[in-house]
Amino acid sequence: MNIYGVVGFKNAGKTGLMERLVAEITGRGLTVSTIKHAHHSFDVDQPGKDSYRHREAGATQTLLASKTRWALMTELRGADEPPLAMLLSHIAPVDLVLIEGYKRDRHPKVEAFRAETGNPLLALSDPTVKAVATDTPQELTQPQFDLNDTQAIADFILGELGL
């Protein structure tokens, strides 16, 4: 499975870049799935709905299905957060899986970087960061792209993967 990450600190532009990359790459006829790492608790279900009630009653997994989509929710119930490799095993085959976050994992990545945030560049110390998408040119050995040049960033990722 081809995977590529988008990493960076908070407010660096990761989610916007992910959204644009998905649109750009699927617009080229390739299939893309995404994985997003959250550093906080989140809920995709709504209180009072049947699936929420199943989960709240103690179900470890709840699968919700309709004619337009299905979703599988898994409650960890105190277990450790699953590693990225395990999550990837649940993704149906596609041309590319784009991963937002998981900056400590060892897959290839593009770093989204906005100078105004004052955060350090991950690319300076992480060899898995293969390029930087930035709003301000930086002194780097890795290729860098304008943060808004989605086509060039997509070309780079697809070229790296031979797609």
Side-chain angles (χ1 to χ4, degrees), residues 17-30:
L17 179 56
M18 285 281 292
E19 182 179 16
R20 294 189 312 273
L21 285 171
V22 170
E24 174 70 25
I25 295 169
T26 58
R28 296 180 187 195
L30 297 170

Side-chain angles (χ1 to χ4, degrees), residues 55 67 98 123:
R55 201 166 41 90
K67 64 181 180 179
L98 287 173

Side-chain angles (χ1 to χ4, degrees), residues 121-140:
L121 274 161
L122 298 168
L124 296 175
S125 60
D126 184 350
T128 66
V129 175
K130 304 299 183 185
V132 175
T134 180
D135 62 350
T136 309
Q138 303 295 311
E139 299 228 1
L140 296 167

